[in-house]
Amino acid sequence: MFILCSAFLAACNNSKDKKDEPAGDKGEKITTTTPADLPYTASYSSSWSTEVSDADLKMVLMTYKDWENSNMDGLGKAMGDSVWVDFGDGSTFNGTNAELIKRWSTLRDSLSSVTIDMGGWHKMYATDKKDGYVVTWYKEIDTYKTGKVDSAVYHDINQVKNGKITWYSQYKRPLK
């Protein structure tokens, strides 16, 4: 009996580390525990939910379909007025929507076809920063007009603000 009471009191004392968070569509709460002995403290955020709108998710996923279908107008409409991009090859871009679409159009025009197999996605909302993200994992096969075929798997982070992508970061692992 003493052990049972001790365990109960210990559980009550740990409640300050627990948070009740919404569990999504069903509305029930999930209690999570943050271990006190983690080796790192997140420099950006460790407070995440999935409270990104389905409209923002659809908009992000449509950008991949627009790239696949060479619909640069649709892709441009999804991007913010100014955009920061970290490309999978290590280069970066920080400029206007028009400059980015011009750059992407040149690349897309060199391709005769693009095939994307979207493996998965996840909505992430930094509750303390009030920033929404959609992360994606996919395989892309690019066929150039020269006949060269290039394939890779990607992991992208799409930051969404006010219904537009304002930061896009891409991680690429070539397949061969």
Side-chain angles (χ1 to χ4, degrees), residues 72-89:
M72 301 314 286
D73 289 336
L75 187 56
K77 289 176 183 172
M79 307 309 280
D81 293 337
S82 61
V83 186
W84 181 282
V85 179
D86 296 315
F87 293 103
D89 65 3

Side-chain angles (χ1 to χ4, degrees), residues 67-70 107-116 140-150:
W67 177 255
E68 190 174 30
N69 293 332
S70 195
L107 175 58
R108 185 59 181 90
D109 286 344
S110 70
L111 302 170
S112 61
S113 71
V114 173
T115 303
I116 294 176
E140 182 173 328
I141 301 171
D142 296 333
T143 304
Y144 289 83
K145 290 180 179 176
T146 63
K148 175 186 170 191
V149 177
D150 186 20

Side-chain angles (χ1 to χ4, degrees), residues 8-137:
F8 177 76
L9 289 175
C12 290
N13 288 338
N14 288 335
S15 65
K16 66 182 177 195
D17 292 337
K18 294 183 179 182
K19 295 184 264 184
D20 286 338
E21 297 180 4
D25 297 336
K26 296 179 183 175
E28 71 267 8
K29 303 278 184 183
I30 296 176
T31 302
T32 59
T33 305
T34 304
D37 62 347
L38 294 176
Y40 294 100
T41 300
S43 61
Y44 178 73
S45 179
S46 61
S47 179
W48 297 94
S49 77
T50 58
E51 297 303 314
V52 173
S53 74
D54 288 340
D56 283 348
L57 172 63
K58 182 177 181 181
M59 179 270 303
V60 167
L61 293 177
M62 281 305 300
T63 64
Y64 293 90
K65 187 55 75 175
D66 288 338
W67 177 255
E68 190 174 30
N69 293 332
S70 195
N71 179 3
M72 301 314 286
D73 289 336
L75 187 56
K77 289 176 183 172
M79 307 309 280
D81 293 337
S82 61
V83 186
W84 181 282
V85 179
D86 296 315
F87 293 103
D89 65 3
S91 64
T92 62
F93 170 87
N94 186 13
T96 67
N97 178 312
E99 293 168 329
L100 178 62
I101 296 306
K102 182 178 178 183
R103 182 175 176 169
W104 275 346
S105 293
T106 301
L107 175 58
R108 185 59 181 90
D109 286 344
S110 70
L111 302 170
S112 61
S113 71
V114 173
T115 303
I116 294 176
D117 176 12
M118 187 62 64
W121 57 83
H122 186 68
K123 301 187 293 185
M124 298 178 68
Y125 183 76
T127 58
D128 54 342
K129 303 291 184 184
K130 310 245 185 285
D131 284 335
Y133 299 86
V134 175
V135 296
T136 59
W137 298 267

